[in-house]
Amino acid sequence: MGTFYIPNSFQRSYEDFESYPRNIIQKDLYSGALEAYAARLDTAEPNLLTKAEAELYVPFRDLYPLCQGPETQNILSDDALKKWLGDRSSIDPLTSTRNGAIATKADPICRFIFISGGNSREPLKISRRMLTRILTYHQVMPCYLDFMSVFGLSKSARELRFSGFRAQVLLKNPTPNSAIPDLGRSGRHFQMCYNLKSVARVPDEKRVVWSIRQAAFYHQFDIEKGTALWIVTKGNLEIKDRIKTLTGKDGRAEDRAFDTPEQCLKSSLAVHLLHCHWSTEDWRWYVQSLEDQIDTETEIAVHGPRGDGEALRVYTPADLQTLQNYQDKMNEIIMVLEANNIVLASLRDFYKAMHGDSTFTLGNACCEGLTLFAKQIDEMKYDSAMQVSRARLLVQIISGRKNLILQHLQSQTTQKMEDLTTSMHKIGVGSQKETIIMRIITAVTLLYLPGTFVSTLFSTDVVQFRNDGGEAFSRAALSRWLQVTFPLTALTLCLAFIVFRLADKRRKRALFSFQDVEIGSGQPLLNQKVLMKGWSGGCFRLNHTVYSLNIFCDLKMAGTWLSDRDNALRELEAKVESFTMKAVCQRSYVLVAELLHWLRSEVHRGQSTTQAGRLLMAAYGPDQSLRASRVKLSDRDNCCLLVFTILLLLGKGDLVHLFQRVDILDKHLPINHQQLREKCRNARIPNADQLAAEFDKKQWPMSPAKFELHSGQIHHEHKILPICKKEEINKKGGTARVYQIEVKEEFVGKTLRQAVAFSRYNCSPSEKEHDWRYQFALKTFQNGSMSLYENEKEAFDALRNQNGIVRLLADYSHAEKVDMDLQVGPVPSGDQEESVTTNTFNLLLEFGEFDLDEYFAQRLPPVFQGETEEFWRALFDVAEALERIHNLDLDTHGIVQQFDGWHADVKPDNILSVQGKFKLSDPGFAKFVRKTDNDPEAFLLGGTETYERHPGRRGTMSAVLQTIDIWSLGCVFSIAATWVVFGYQGIKQFTRIREKAIETIRVRQRGSRSNSNLSAGDYFHDGHSVLEAVTSWHRILRSSLRKTDSMTSNLLDLVDKKMLLGNAGARIKATDLVSELKRILDQSEAEPRVEMPVNIMEALLEADKDAVSSVSSTQGSNLGQPAAAGNDRKARKSRLLEQPLMKTAHRSEGLKSVLEYHHVQSMDSNMNRSGPTARAKANANPETPHNDSSLHGRPHSIPTPQASVRHIESPPSGESINLTQLHQKAGRTPKVHPPQDLFQALEEIEKRDKHNILGRERKDKLMSRHWKNRDLKFLVDNGESMEPHWAWAKALLKVLVRKIAGQDENGLDLSFTFGKEKLENQKSNSRNWERAMEKAKPWPGTRTNMKTPMGEIFSSFLKQVQQDTKYRPTKPVRKLTLIVLTDGIWAGMGNSQASVNEIIVKFVQQVKSAIGDLMDPPVSIEFIQFGNDQEATYRLRQLDSGMKWHGIPDVIDTEHASGDVNKMLLGSFVKEYDDDDEDEDEDGPMQGPDTAPLEHTRSPVEMSSVNNSPASLARASTNRLEPRPQPPVFLSRATG
C-alpha cells in the first residue's frame, strides 16, 4: 500500500463525508434536491439506522482478477471501515487539521457491500457515519437513499407500492474530477439503483405464513477499468449467501472471471440475473397457497348442502372479512409483480441502450452476453406475467364467492325471519285463547267484585252487628285498614310495571339479535370507522345516520354499497395524490384541469356514469339517492367539482348540496376564511367553524395561481404559485434577482399563451406523454426595492407596445420566504432565522436565451458577408428601440401624448436574444418627461461604470441629455465590432487594454497630484473624452476586417465620429442614428455577394447542425493544466483536438433558405434547357442520377436570411422537380372523369338517390370500378385548430360517406384524434355519422399528435394481416384505405413532426415483411387538408412525395378539402388520380411554408348550407391558385 494521488475535489468531498449527499462531486441535481435528500435522511435516521455500536455489522466481499481468492471482512465499527477502505488519515485534536492519506488502497475489481437488519422492520445494522462514508467514498448517486428508506423500524411492511429504477451514465467527456486513476477509476462509468420484491415462506408450525420481502440494489461499473461496485440493502443476508455461491469456487468460471473489462461486464450481468431470479422464484407457490386457502374457506359455500333438514354452516360477517383479506393479498401480488416487471424491463432496456451507444466500447465484445441477458429477463417477465394473470383470475373468483356468501347471509336472515314469523304466529294463537279466558275471568270478576268488596268490609271490625240487632262503627278500625291497603296496592302496581318493561326489552332483543359488526376499513380518507351498529325499531344505524329498514333489509345491498364507497374514495385519494405536484416553494398544488377531466370521465367505457357521479352516490348512500340526484356538480355556472373533492377528502361529501346553496362554488375559490365561516354558519352545518377551518387548509392546493397577460395581482400569503422549476439566470444585477422559471400549460392564461407561443415545449421525454410547459423570465424585487420595482413597472407599461423591447407580460406581489442574504433593506430586530417571510414584487418577462455577453461567448462570430450583415441588422434593432424610448408616443384612449425618455442603463447585460432577435430590456432606471421645445435634460440614477453614461458625471448629481444612451450604445457597438473581427477572446483582450490604459492614466494623475477621482476599471473614457486606446483599437479592427465586411468599418466610423464624443451635446441624436444605421445597411446590401458552391454550403450547414448550442459542457476541462508526463500530454492533446464544434451566428437560417431555393431553381433551369423529351425521360426514370455539375456546379451567394425563415428539407440529389407548366406527360394515363368539388359531388349523389324508393344503398359507378376487397376508415382531426373548419369537415365527411356507399361490405369506420367517440361497421345512410361529429367537435386546449391515433389504426390492421397470412395463406389480404381529415397543423407534436413519416415507413415495412410483396400495396393513406396553413401544406406535400426516398411504394396522397372529391377517395391507390399530384409537383415548386396555395375558403356559415338545393350550390365551385414563388430578396439582389 502506498499514497495515491487524489484530486482536491475528491479530497474535499471525502473530508466532508458526513454532509452527504451535499458533498458529492457529480452534481446532476440542483442544490435544492440535494438538500431535500439530506433532510429526508435526517428524518429517517432514528428508525432507519442504528446507533448502538454493538449492533454494527456490515459484511464486505472484495474480488480480484487472475483467480485470486476473495477478501471478506465483517466491518463492526467506523474505524474498521476506514482501515478497510484504505483511509489512514486522522484529525489533529489541537490544530483540527487532517494528517495522513485518505486513500492508500486501490478499489478491488469487484466489491460487494451488504447492509442488513434483523429483518425488514428493524433498523439497519449500520450507523449514519458509516453509511455516509461508504456512499461518499464510492460517490454513490443520492437517489439510492430513496430505495433504502423502505427499511427500518416499523410495525408492518413499509412502502410495498414503491418501486423504481434510476440510472446515470457518464461515458463521453467525463469531468476530470471524477477520474482517479490511482484508485482504478477512469471516470467513464455508469451507475444504477433499483429495488425488487420477493416472497418467502415464514417458518410457522401452526399455519402457513408468507412474507413479501424487499431488496434495494446499487451497481456501479467502470467501462475502462472493469471495476464494479455492488451495495445490497435487505432485511437479512440471504442475497449475501447467494453471491458467495455465485462468485465462490463452486460457481461457474465465467461468473467469477475478472481478468478483462469484458469478463467483468459479463460477471455483472450474472449478478443482475441472480437478483432477478430471486425476485421471481417463489411467487407461484405463494399464489398456490392462497388458492388452496380460498378453496378451503369457500368450499362449503360452493358445494355444501343447502336443503331442508341438512346440516348447514352458519355464515357471519367474519367470513366476508376473511375473503376480503385474501382479495387484498391477491391485489398486492398483482401490484408487486407488475412493479417488478417494470423494473426488469427498465434493466433490460438500459443495457440495450448501452449496446447501441457508440461510446460504450464493450458493446461489440459482449454482444452475445447482452443478448442472452435480455432473453433471460424476458423469460422471467413472462413467468411473472403468467402469475399476474393467475392472480387476476383468483380476484374474480373471490369476488364471486363473496357475493355467494352474501347470498347465504341473506338466506340466513330470511330463514331467521321465517322462524320468527312462525314463532310469532304460535304466540299469537296462544295469546288469542288466553285473551278469551281472561275476558271471561274479567267479566265474572266484575260481577262478584262489588259483593266481595262489601262482604270483605263488613267482615272486619269496622262495622259490627250485634245479636240484639244493633250495630257498632269503629273509626279506628277503618283507619288501620286504609293505611295497610293503599301502600300494598301502590307496591303491586310498581312491581307490575317493572316486570312489563323487562319483558318488553327481552322481546325486542329476541326480535333482532344482531351483534356489532365492523364493516369499514378505517381508511384515513373516511376519517372514522364505518360500524354497523344493529337494527332497532325497524331502522338501521350507520355512521350515526338512521336508514329505514326497507332500504337495508338486504344485507347484500348494504355490503356492496359499502365496498363500492370505500373503493371509490380510495381511488379518489390516489388520483388526487397522482395529480399533486410540488412547487419550487416546496408547497403542493393540484393539477386542477387533469383532476376535473378525470372527475368528468366515465367510470366504465360506454357507460354514462361519471367518476363524479359515482363519488356522489358513495357520499350520500342509497337512502339519500333522491337528494344526491338533485345535486348538479358539473353545472356550467354552478360547478362545484373541486368543492366536492375537498369535502370528500374531509369526509363530508354529503354536505355539498349545502355548500352549493350558500354559493360556495369552484369559480369563487379560494374563499377567505371569514366569509367561509359565515357561509357555513348560514347553511346550518354542524361544527361550522371547525369545518370552515379544515376546508380553508384544503382549498389552497386546489386553487393555485394562474398567470394572465398584463395582470397585476396581489397574491395572499397562502396562494400557491405553480412554478415547477426556478433557476437563477445570473447574479450580475444588484437591484433584483432574475430567474428562469417554468410553468405548466394549464396555469398559463389563453392570451398569455398566444403572446409567448414560442416558449412552449414538451418536458416529457416520452412521445406518448405530454408535459407542456412555458418558460418565462421572472425578475424579483425584495421589500426594500419597492421604488425601483414601481419605476421599472411603469417604464415597461409605457413601452408595452414598442417593438425591439422585451415585453412585460404580467406583474404581481406575493408574500414568501426568502433567504436573509437576498433581503434588501433593514431586517427586523430579533429575526435571526436563515429565512424570513416578506413581500416580493415580481415582473414576468419574455425569456431570452442569452444576453449579449453570453451570446458573444456561446457563438462564433459571423464569417460570410450575409452572416455579418444579418448580425448587424439584428443589433441595429436595439438602436430603433432606443429611438422609440427617446421619442415616446403614448396613446391613451385616443389622446396621444409625447414624452422624452432615457433608458439610462444600455449595456450588453440588458440586450437579450429572444427567438433570434435582439431586444432591449431592464428599463429599471428609465425616466420619461413630457416633450418640450428645449433639449430634454433629467437627473438619473443607476448605470454601470464600464458603459458610463456621461464622462465626468460619476459621483456628481447633474442633469444629463438623452445622448448618454448614445454613448452607452456606442460602447456596445465597439464591443460587438471586436467580437465580429476577433471573436470572444478579442473582447477579453479589449477589456484588458482598457483596464491597462485606465491604470496608466491613474498612475500619471497620482504623479502629478491631480484632483481627478478616476477609479480603476475598464470603461471607455478618461474622465473627459474617449480613451485613446479605444480609438486605436478601432483602427486595428478596421485593418483586420475581412474583405467582404464593409459594414463593420462604416459602423466604427460612425461610433468614433458621432457616438463616443466627450461633449454630450455633439453626439448624434437617436433619430439620426437610426437613419445612419439604415444607410450603412442599404450600402452593404447593394454590394455584390460572395459566391460559394452549393456542396460547400451543404457541408457548412451540416456542420452547424452538429455544433453544440452551448459551450458550458466543454468548460472545466482543465486544458490549460501543465502536463506531468507523456501520457498526460497525450491526453491533453486529445482533449484539445476533440473540442466540439460551436454554432456560427446567423449561419443556419441563411443556408437553409438559399439551399432550398437553389434546388428548385437549378432543377427548373436544367429541365427547361433539356426540352420536353428530356423531361419525359427524367419523369419516366427517376432512378437515373443527374450530373453533379448540373446541381452543384453553379456557385451561389451566401444569403442574408429574412426575418422569419423556416427549415425546409431539400430533396436528395438526383430528384427532378419540373417548374414549367407541362400539359402532356409522358407515360401518364389521362383521367376519364373530370374533377368534382364537394357541391358537384353532392348534386350527383342527390340525383342518384332521387328515385331510390326502397332506401337501399346505391353504389357510385366510378367507385365500384376501383373499390374491391378494401376496407375504409376515416380519421378526423378534432384538435382545437380544426374548430374554424368543423362545419366544412362535417359536410365533406357526409358527402364522402354517401359517395362511397355500398363499396365496403363490412361497413365504414370512423375515429377521432381526441376522445373515445368512434363508429365501426356503419352504413353510409346511418345518422350516427352526424351525431358522432357533433359529439367530437374540437375542444379548446387540445393539440393534435397525429402519431398516436394513426399508430393505433396501423397496429390493429397489422395484427389482422398477420392472422390472415397465418391461418388463411391462400386468401388475398383485405386492403385498407385510411382517409385523414385534418388541417395538418398537429401542434401537439412539437418538434417531432417527422415522427409521422417514420411511423408510416415502419408500418409499410412491417406489412411488406408480413405478406412479402408490395407490388400492389394493401394499404393507402389519403390526407385531406382544411385551411391554408403554409407549414402544414408543405408538411403534407412532403409526406406525399417523400416516401419513395425510404424505399417504399407511393401509398400516400394529399388533396385540399376544396379539391376533387373523387381524388380524395381514390388518389391514394389509383394511379391516374395519384399522377395528378405529380403534375402539381412538376407544374409548380413544392410548396414551402411561405408559398402555400391561395384558395377561396368558405366560411362555416356558407358550409352550413350544404344541405340546400344542389343546383344552387353547384355554382359555388372553388378555384385553386398556385402562383410561382418569387426568389428570396437576397438572391434577387445577388443575381441582378
Side-chain angles (χ1 to χ4, degrees), residues 91-348:
I91 303 296
D92 189 331
L94 296 178
T95 61
S96 298
T97 57
R98 183 177 294 272
N99 300 320
I102 65 170
T104 60
K105 180 180 179 182
D107 293 342
I109 197 68
C110 183
R111 166 170 285 168
F112 293 93
I113 304 174
F114 302 97
I115 302 174
S116 64
N119 55 57
S120 62
R121 303 174 192 175
E122 293 183 2
L124 299 175
K125 297 179 180 180
I126 188 172
S127 65
R128 169 78 175 266
R129 187 176 178 85
M130 293 173 65
L131 176 64
T132 54
R133 186 185 296 276
I134 291 173
L135 299 183
T136 298
Y137 186 81
H138 297 97
Q139 293 294 303
V140 175
M141 54 200 300
C143 60
Y144 187 58
L145 294 175
D146 284 338
F147 294 89
M148 294 184 66
S149 64
V150 301
F151 299 92
L153 184 63
S154 65
K155 295 181 180 179
S156 59
R158 299 169 57 189
E159 295 195 73
L160 284 179
R161 296 182 180 87
F162 171 74
S163 290
F165 179 91
R166 304 286 186 275
Q168 183 187 75
V169 180
L170 189 63
L171 302 182
K172 185 178 180 181
N173 298 328
T175 57
N177 297 331
S178 62
I180 312 177
D182 288 351
L183 292 184
R185 305 180 189 179
S186 69
R188 298 183 63 208
H189 66 268
F190 62 81
Q191 52 182 331
M192 68 182 73
C193 53
Y194 57 91
N195 67 337
L196 292 169
K197 305 174 188 69
S198 182
V199 67
R201 185 168 179 173
V202 180
D204 194 317
E205 297 179 356
K206 297 181 180 180
R207 59 194 180 101
V208 178
V209 179
W210 292 81
S211 174
I212 296 178
R213 298 174 174 178
Q214 304 196 57
F217 305 100
Y218 170 82
H219 177 49
Q220 185 182 114
F221 187 85
D222 191 302
I223 67 169
E224 282 191 10
K225 305 292 185 180
T227 55
L229 169 69
W230 294 91
I231 302 178
V232 180
T233 306
K234 194 180 179 299
N236 56 27
L237 294 174
E238 177 187 2
I239 301 294
K240 173 179 174 292
D241 298 334
R242 298 188 182 212
I243 294 293
K244 181 178 179 181
T245 303
L246 179 74
T247 59
K249 61 181 181 179
D250 296 331
R252 298 189 309 171
E254 58 268 27
D255 294 340
R256 50 190 175 88
F258 302 100
D259 296 337
T260 65
E262 291 80 5
Q263 291 178 340
C264 294
L265 179 62
K266 293 179 181 178
S267 300
S268 294
L269 296 179
V271 177
H272 281 305
L273 290 175
L274 182 147
H275 298 159
C276 298
H277 279 296
W278 169 81
S279 70
T280 59
E281 58 190 7
D282 284 334
W283 290 103
R284 173 187 172 187
W285 312 116
Y286 180 32
V287 175
Q288 182 64 51
S289 173
L290 290 177
E291 188 174 356
D292 294 341
Q293 294 178 51
I294 292 167
D295 288 341
T296 302
E297 292 288 341
T298 61
E299 183 177 9
I300 297 179
V302 178
H303 304 292
R306 303 300 298 177
D308 294 337
E310 301 280 1
L312 306 178
R313 173 175 174 178
V314 178
Y315 290 96
T316 65
D319 297 317
L320 287 176
Q321 288 180 316
T322 301
L323 286 181
Q324 183 63 46
N325 182 37
Y326 289 140
Q327 189 172 6
D328 290 344
K329 287 184 178 180
M330 283 299 174
N331 286 324
E332 187 177 64
I333 290 172
I334 294 171
M335 180 268 297
V336 170
L337 286 178
E338 287 182 340
N340 277 355
N341 271 0
I342 292 174
V343 173
L344 295 182
S346 301
L347 183 61
R348 177 202 60 194

Side-chain angles (χ1 to χ4, degrees), residues 974-987:
S974 176
I975 295 290
T978 302
W979 175 73
V980 168
V981 179
F982 293 137
Y984 188 63
Q985 290 296 323
I987 293 178

Side-chain angles (χ1 to χ4, degrees), residues 818-839:
V818 298
D819 295 337
M820 291 293 290
D821 59 352
L822 301 184
Q823 178 72 12
V824 179
V827 178
S829 59
D831 291 340
Q832 299 299 325
E833 296 90 2
E834 295 182 356
S835 63
V836 296
T837 300
T838 182
N839 282 327

Side-chain angles (χ1 to χ4, degrees), residues 355-522:
H355 182 239
D357 190 344
S358 60
T359 59
F360 183 57
T361 55
L362 304 180
N364 293 331
C366 300
C367 179
E368 183 179 354
L370 291 170
T371 303
L372 181 61
F373 172 78
K375 182 179 179 182
Q376 290 182 277
I377 292 288
D378 287 337
E379 290 175 354
M380 286 184 273
K381 283 184 59 188
Y382 176 79
D383 292 341
S384 296
M386 293 300 295
Q387 299 307 320
V388 169
S389 300
R390 184 179 176 188
R392 291 189 194 280
L393 178 60
L394 284 175
V395 168
Q396 296 177 6
I397 292 174
I398 293 172
S399 297
R401 296 189 180 181
K402 280 170 59 181
N403 291 334
L404 183 59
I405 290 179
L406 279 171
Q407 292 176 4
H408 289 334
L409 281 171
Q410 180 183 359
S411 175
Q412 290 174 190
T413 304
T414 305
Q415 185 63 43
K416 284 186 179 182
M417 295 298 291
E418 276 187 25
D419 295 342
L420 182 61
T421 303
T422 303
S423 175
M424 293 298 293
H425 178 69
K426 292 179 180 179
I427 293 173
V429 173
S431 298
Q432 186 179 10
K433 294 178 181 179
E434 292 175 358
T435 301
I436 295 172
I437 296 172
M438 289 302 296
R439 285 176 181 173
I440 295 172
I441 293 173
T442 301
V444 174
T445 301
L446 290 175
L447 290 174
Y448 285 94
L449 185 61
T452 303
F453 176 76
V454 171
S455 64
T456 301
L457 183 63
F458 285 160
S459 66
T460 63
D461 291 337
V462 176
V463 178
Q464 293 182 356
F465 296 94
R466 297 190 296 273
N467 293 331
D468 59 1
E471 58 182 25
F473 174 76
S474 176
R475 187 179 296 275
L478 178 61
S479 176
R480 294 292 182 270
W481 183 81
L482 292 175
Q483 289 176 359
V484 173
T485 301
F486 284 165
L488 286 175
T489 303
L491 179 61
T492 302
L493 292 174
C494 289
L495 290 175
F497 179 75
I498 292 172
V499 171
F500 171 77
R501 294 292 294 175
L502 292 175
D504 185 60
K505 287 185 177 180
R506 193 178 297 111
R507 177 186 63 82
K508 291 180 179 179
R509 194 176 300 116
L511 186 60
F512 295 106
S513 57
F514 294 105
Q515 63 184 30
D516 288 354
V517 179
E518 183 175 322
I519 299 295
S521 58

Side-chain angles (χ1 to χ4, degrees), residues 1355-1399:
S1355 177
S1356 176
F1357 178 75
L1358 191 59
K1359 290 180 182 177
Q1360 186 63 42
V1361 169
Q1362 292 170 344
Q1363 290 179 1
D1364 291 346
T1365 54
K1366 181 176 181 181
Y1367 298 109
R1368 294 180 292 178
T1370 59
K1371 188 174 181 180
V1373 174
R1374 189 166 179 84
K1375 301 173 183 177
L1376 169 69
T1377 291
L1378 175 63
I1379 297 181
V1380 185
L1381 281 70
T1382 179
D1383 57 5
I1385 294 178
W1386 306 344
M1389 302 184 65
N1391 296 323
S1392 59
Q1393 306 281 6
S1395 58
V1396 173
N1397 189 320
E1398 295 168 2
I1399 192 175

